[in-house]
Amino acid sequence: MIGGIIMTHGDNNGLVLPPRIAPIQAMVIPVAQHKEGVLDAATALKDRLTAAGIRVIMDDCTDE
């Protein structure tokens, strides 16, 4: 079954799973997070996406 899913949804650019299968739909990666305000903006974006019903995580390099 997994092979069939990969054959159906994969191509030379990688695997793109439909939203009903993918555990995470979006990932927020704050670039230059050492600068002031970057993490705040990334957190605000994550909150907006979550409020819109999108399953999202943020890579903020913290051990939580």
Side-chain angles (χ1 to χ4, degrees):
M1 182 171 231
I2 293 173
I5 290 172
I6 292 172
M7 286 177 53
T8 303
H9 299 287
D11 60 12
N12 290 338
N13 294 324
L15 180 64
V16 179
L17 295 174
R20 298 185 97 199
I21 296 175
I24 300 167
Q25 293 174 298
M27 182 167 200
V28 177
I29 303 173
V31 178
Q33 56 185 311
H34 62 280
K35 292 185 179 179
E36 192 172 326
V38 173
L39 280 177
D40 294 334
T43 303
L45 175 62
K46 179 184 178 266
D47 293 341
R48 286 181 59 197
L49 291 170
T50 302
I54 297 173
R55 294 182 303 273
V56 60
I57 62 171
M58 184 169 77
D59 183 13
D60 56 0
C61 295
T62 61
D63 296 330
E64 292 182 19

